[in-house]
Amino acid sequence: MKFLYRSPRCAVLCCALSFNALADSPVQLPQMRISADEQPATGLQLDTQGSTGSRLGLTPRETPASVSVVSRQQIEQRGAANTQDMLSGVPGMNAAASPGFAGFVSYRGFSGAQITQLFNGISVQYDAIAARPVDSWIYDRVEAVGGPSSFLYGAGAVGGSINYITKLPSRTESFNEGRISYGAYDSTETSFGFNHALNHGDGPRHYARLDVSHTTSNGYVDREQRDAWTTAFSLLTDFNDQLSHTLAYEYQNESVDSPYWGTPVLNPLGGKMEVDKSRRFENYNVADGRYEQRVQWLRSILDYQLDEHTSLRNTLYHYNADREYRNLETYAYNSNNTQVDRSGILLQRHAQELNGNRFELLHHNSLFGLDSQWSAGIDYSHNVMTSYPRSVSGSAGSVNPDDFDPGSFWDLPGMSRGFAKNRSNQVDTWAMFLENRLQLTDRLSLLSGLRHDQIDLQVTNYRAVTEANPAFFQRKYRPTTGRLGLVYELTPAANVYVQYSTAADPPAGILTTASYGQVRDFDLSTGNQWEVGSKFDYLDGRGSATLAAYRIERKNLSTADPNNPGNSLPVGQQSSRGVELATSLRVTPKLLAEGNFAYVDAQYDEFYESVGGRQVSRKGNSPTNTPDKVANLWLTYDLAPSWQVGGDARYVSSIYADAANTRYAPAYTIFGAFVGYQVDADTRITGRVRNLTDQVYARTTGSTQLYLGAPRTFELALQTRF
């Protein structure tokens, strides 16, 4: 298969040539393709144009899939401090993990690399780390689509895709805004933003937006301290009525001293996993433990309207990230729970750079006399990840939890200073994609999508060369994935849909970090989903709801060989089936209720685990850290024109810590409440309490430890526009 571009340099040249050639045409440019202008939205936003469930700019109601949107207004109303908090608005989604896998998400029975997390529609192919919690101030919204979606975003996404969408300039208003807050454990936020037109009159028109946030916290465990800056700047230029360009830059700088990795579980191990609640705030990491990251994004987005039926978009992007770890990460009690054995010594650095270009064409016409919308394009990316791990196996010694010196990382046995390059993974991806919506009748529409990827993996080893770790190896993958869906409009406010979709993803790990053993004998895993559902309004439009039922299968799984960790073993098949419900209801003019519930039955259909050199079947068991039930509820009540109160509740069922399903962390329910006072039209003061009952609960599990959620905390915030 031949493609238009041969290198990133050619992509840049093509973008520049198209810019120069199209600058003088006089056709009207559509606002939908280039504007971030939106009215404040509540509820499920079934009729708000999205960008994640389809490339055609369809609304969730028009899309034959589960598409969830958490708007900026909902982020602020619910007090979502970071991207993980934002995800609780998505039915069935559970997002939480220790710093080593801080981007971990469980969705529709799958997790890890089987969930694609996008940044403005771009995948960095390193989601478990790159998608760690980021302060929410710079984001306009988050969108999610459930189930296989490789046909939209490439390899991965068996369980679903998440898209974090950054704020961009608005043409319709000029404002300055700010937010300051203080909370428990000396948590602070100082955030500022502005949106302004830079000029008026004839000629090109420029609009700028800047959002900056600085947060600090002492952490809810001993000795943990966090300091983070997030910045997003964008410049929108309308050269004329049909040509527009957006330049967007983002920068994140985060550092955490003595990051918390978890709390050891009391012995004997087996059944319900419990911690010593009196040691809830203990931190067994070393005193000079460290996590830090520096992330930069640069996007150049060119929009051009050829005529009233056809538009073009070209997105040129650059991503650069450096991350460093210096930690003692694993803790376990001795047999009588009097000493904590510490292990997991790791010094790590990741250096990743991603460059790419995406060209898209939208066309609206008729096909066989029927109304038809088309999206087609070419996507290229060049992704290089270099890792510098230095780890020491075995115990780092035991400490008395009643009184211990955490010690220094550099005093740990076997550790030395300096980073040693391990290997570089280069992933080059070419893709062609096509999507169509055909209006078969006044009520019935057909949505189809197809994507073909050419993925080339090349890995260079900088360490000792062995049979299991050669100096160089490469693999090529050629997946083709798609979706076919029907939407039937029962009434203008209610529909039903059915869809079938497929996905392809790496069998073990992800390609940007894959070792020789993980990919040597394996092709990409494949997945497919059947889904039926309905989206409708009720009670004369005061309420809206979505309902979905699905079944997903993933084949050709693999896992690390316990007798030779550098190699992988085939383990067969995994599947899930479930239902999801979301609703929003204006119960009275003063009371708004929003909530969602999801149930999933996830299991290994074929899975043999090596135990003591013997293969043991885990067929029928549930994957680890996968709750079968997740529910959320938000209530908001207007006491008076200036006063508002509200509460929220979140339930997550128990999760297993091992493939044998012999150990589990119990279910939990946490509650929150807030009171808000509207000082004037532009200024609001909010007091908020999280985890009202001070519940001790585990957000995720490890083999010998639990990663505990935050205790009861308070926050007082002032937000204003001026």
Side-chain angles (χ1 to χ4, degrees):
M1 183 176 292
K2 296 182 179 179
F3 297 93
L4 296 179
Y5 304 155
R6 292 296 182 187
S7 71
R9 182 175 299 175
C10 292
V12 177
L13 179 60
C14 181
C15 179
L17 290 174
S18 65
F19 175 84
N20 292 328
L22 303 176
D24 296 324
S25 185
V27 187
Q28 182 69 29
L29 183 69
Q31 295 289 326
M32 58 171 278
R33 293 291 292 162
I34 59 178
S35 174
D37 306 347
E38 287 190 12
Q39 295 298 318
T42 58
L44 303 182
Q45 300 162 71
L46 295 181
D47 299 307
T48 300
Q49 187 181 66
S51 59
T52 303
S54 166
R55 295 191 183 279
L56 296 170
L58 304 180
T59 67
R61 195 189 299 271
E62 295 171 324
T63 307
S66 296
V67 180
S68 302
V69 181
V70 181
S71 69
R72 182 67 218 175
Q73 184 180 9
Q74 291 170 320
I75 292 169
E76 295 178 358
Q77 184 73 40
R78 298 169 184 176
N82 57 48
T83 49
Q84 280 191 352
D85 294 340
M86 291 156 56
L87 295 180
S88 65
V90 180
M93 191 168 290
N94 193 39
S98 62
F101 301 95
F104 178 90
V105 171
S106 171
Y107 189 27
R108 290 199 166 185
F110 295 86
S111 59
Q114 289 82 58
I115 310 296
T116 292
Q117 299 189 60
L118 308 158
F119 301 89
N120 299 294
I122 301 168
S123 172
V124 302
Q125 303 173 46
Y126 193 37
D127 303 344
I129 303 298
R132 65 177 287 109
V134 177
D135 296 329
S136 63
W137 178 257
I138 67 171
Y139 292 104
D140 178 71
R141 64 193 185 278
V142 62
E143 300 179 355
V145 55
S149 42
S150 298
F151 61 92
L152 289 170
Y153 305 111
V158 175
S161 294
I162 302 163
N163 193 9
Y164 306 102
I165 301 173
T166 310
K167 296 174 180 176
L168 288 175
S170 167
R171 296 180 177 88
T172 59
E173 56 180 344
S174 292
F175 60 83
N176 304 303
E177 62 181 350
R179 173 184 165 88
I180 57 173
S181 71
Y182 179 81
Y185 304 101
D186 290 326
S187 298
T188 68
E189 177 187 352
T190 305
S191 299
F192 170 78
F194 74 75
N195 185 100
H196 288 284
L198 300 184
N199 68 320
H200 301 280
D202 297 334
R205 297 176 298 278
H206 306 283
Y207 308 85
R209 180 157 195 160
L210 174 67
D211 292 282
V212 180
S213 178
H214 179 220
T215 59
T216 64
S217 175
N218 286 337
Y220 57 87
V221 296
D222 295 340
R223 298 182 287 106
E224 183 181 66
Q225 292 185 315
R226 178 179 182 269
D227 188 287
W229 287 88
T230 54
T231 301
F233 172 77
S234 49
L235 177 66
L236 168 63
T237 300
D238 290 334
F239 291 97
N240 50 47
D241 288 340
Q242 84 290 338
L243 179 64
S244 175
H245 178 263
T246 301
L247 181 68
Y249 173 76
E250 295 168 39
Y251 177 71
Q252 302 167 22
N253 190 322
E254 179 187 15
S255 61
V256 184
D257 292 328
S258 296
Y260 167 67
W261 287 80
T263 300
V265 176
L266 293 169
N267 281 310
L269 290 176
K272 182 179 178 181
M273 302 174 75
E274 297 181 287
V275 299
D276 183 345
K277 294 181 181 180
S278 69
R279 307 199 185 286
R280 177 182 188 181
F281 305 110
E282 292 285 1
N283 186 352
Y284 296 99
N285 200 355
V286 288
D288 54 350
R290 182 81 168 177
Y291 171 79
E292 59 185 62
Q293 71 166 1
R294 292 162 298 281
V295 175
Q296 296 184 81
W297 276 101
L298 182 63
R299 291 178 291 143
S300 173
I301 308 165
L302 187 70
D303 286 278
Y304 178 71
Q305 186 78 23
L306 287 170
D307 54 39
E308 62 180 338
H309 301 294
T310 308
S311 62
L312 306 174
R313 166 169 285 194
N314 194 91
T315 303
L316 183 68
Y317 55 89
H318 167 78
Y319 168 82
N320 180 275
D322 288 294
R323 298 181 175 89
E324 295 182 7
Y325 297 82
R326 184 179 68 227
N327 296 285
L328 184 56
E329 304 174 1
T330 306
Y331 326 115
Y333 276 112
N334 63 358
S335 59
N336 59 6
N337 298 316
T338 59
Q339 297 281 314
V340 174
D341 183 53
R342 303 191 298 174
S343 60
I345 305 170
L346 179 63
L347 177 68
Q348 173 70 284
R349 179 173 181 259
H350 302 141
Q352 183 179 12
E353 181 172 318
L354 169 68
N355 295 287
N357 192 81
R358 177 184 297 149
F359 176 80
E360 303 173 68
L361 180 147
L362 277 178
H363 184 61
H364 191 171
N365 66 348
S366 62
L367 181 67
F368 307 121
L370 303 173
D371 186 73
S372 176
Q373 295 171 261
W374 293 90
S375 171
I378 298 172
D379 201 346
Y380 170 78
S381 66
H382 175 71
N383 198 343
V384 179
M385 167 77 81
T386 304
S387 60
Y388 301 76
R390 187 189 300 277
S391 62
V392 179
S393 60
S395 175
S398 298
V399 296
N400 182 350
D402 290 325
D403 182 21
F404 69 94
D405 178 0
S408 169
F409 183 81
W410 305 114
D411 293 334
L412 294 173
M415 181 49 63
S416 59
R417 294 180 183 269
F419 292 101
K421 187 183 292 188
N422 179 31
R423 64 174 177 262
S424 290
N425 289 40
Q426 176 179 310
V427 183
D428 290 295
T429 304
W430 280 102
M432 297 185 66
F433 53 87
L434 180 68
E435 190 175 5
N436 175 257
R437 181 175 186 258
L438 188 64
Q439 195 67 41
L440 299 175
T441 71
D442 289 343
R443 294 189 175 188
L444 181 65
S445 62
L446 171 68
L447 188 69
S448 56
L450 195 67
R451 177 179 173 118
H452 178 74
D453 288 84
Q454 294 195 5
I455 305 170
D456 295 335
L457 169 67
Q458 300 181 51
V459 180
T460 302
N461 171 34
Y462 298 101
R463 301 224 173 152
V465 175
T466 65
E467 182 180 354
N469 197 22
F472 176 84
F473 67 89
Q474 61 182 0
R475 289 296 309 269
K476 298 180 184 295
Y477 305 97
R478 302 292 183 262
T480 300
T481 54
R483 173 173 69 184
L484 195 64
L486 288 167
V487 180
Y488 183 75
E489 186 180 283
L490 299 170
T491 71
N495 67 29
V496 293
Y497 69 87
V498 60
Q499 66 130 307
Y500 177 77
S501 56
T502 64
D505 70 319
I510 48 181
L511 294 183
T512 51
T513 59
S515 66
Y516 181 60
Q518 290 176 318
V519 300
R520 179 181 59 184
D521 301 318
F522 303 97
D523 200 350
L524 294 178
S525 299
T526 59
N528 66 82
Q529 172 183 258
W530 282 100
E531 179 178 331
V532 296
S534 178
K535 303 170 186 182
F536 56 92
D537 300 333
Y538 59 95
L539 294 180
D540 297 323
R542 290 192 292 114
S544 57
T546 62
L547 177 65
Y550 61 87
R551 176 173 174 81
I552 304 174
E553 290 185 348
R554 180 178 180 237
K555 300 179 180 179
N556 304 322
L557 284 76
S558 68
T559 189
D561 182 352
N563 298 316
N564 189 357
N567 293 325
S568 293
L569 297 172
V571 297
Q573 178 175 305
Q574 180 180 337
S575 67
S576 69
R577 56 184 178 179
V579 294
E580 295 169 350
L581 171 67
T583 188
S584 175
L585 174 63
R586 178 62 67 176
V587 182
T588 71
K590 294 185 176 182
L591 178 61
L592 174 67
E594 299 175 287
N596 54 58
F597 170 80
Y599 168 78
V600 60
D601 176 15
Q603 66 175 20
Y604 295 116
D605 300 319
E606 299 176 29
F607 184 3
Y608 285 88
E609 184 181 27
S610 180
V611 180
R614 184 171 60 92
Q615 296 296 305
V616 178
S617 174
R618 302 305 187 196
K619 181 179 180 179
N621 287 6
S622 297
T624 59
N625 284 303
T626 303
D628 60 8
K629 291 181 285 293
V630 177
N632 294 281
L633 176 66
W634 298 272
L635 298 174
T636 306
Y637 186 76
D638 298 323
L639 284 173
S642 297
W643 288 92
Q644 189 178 66
V645 296
D648 60 83
R650 176 172 174 82
Y651 170 80
V652 179
S653 64
S654 59
I655 50 178
Y656 287 109
D658 60 344
N661 289 181
T662 59
R663 301 193 300 276
Y664 69 92
Y668 66 86
T669 304
I670 53 175
F671 303 92
F674 78 89
V675 57
Y677 176 67
Q678 198 74 31
V679 179
D680 56 38
D682 298 314
T683 304
R684 178 181 175 89
I685 299 174
T686 304
R688 189 178 302 274
V689 180
R690 298 180 176 88
N691 193 359
L692 271 168
T693 60
D694 202 25
Q695 172 95 333
V696 179
Y697 66 100
R699 300 186 71 185
T700 54
T701 71
S703 58
T704 62
Q705 62 197 53
L706 300 179
Y707 185 73
L708 301 181
R712 179 168 50 234
T713 59
F714 71 89
E715 175 190 85
L716 184 64
L718 169 69
Q719 186 160 334
T720 186
R721 279 197 175 196
F722 54 95

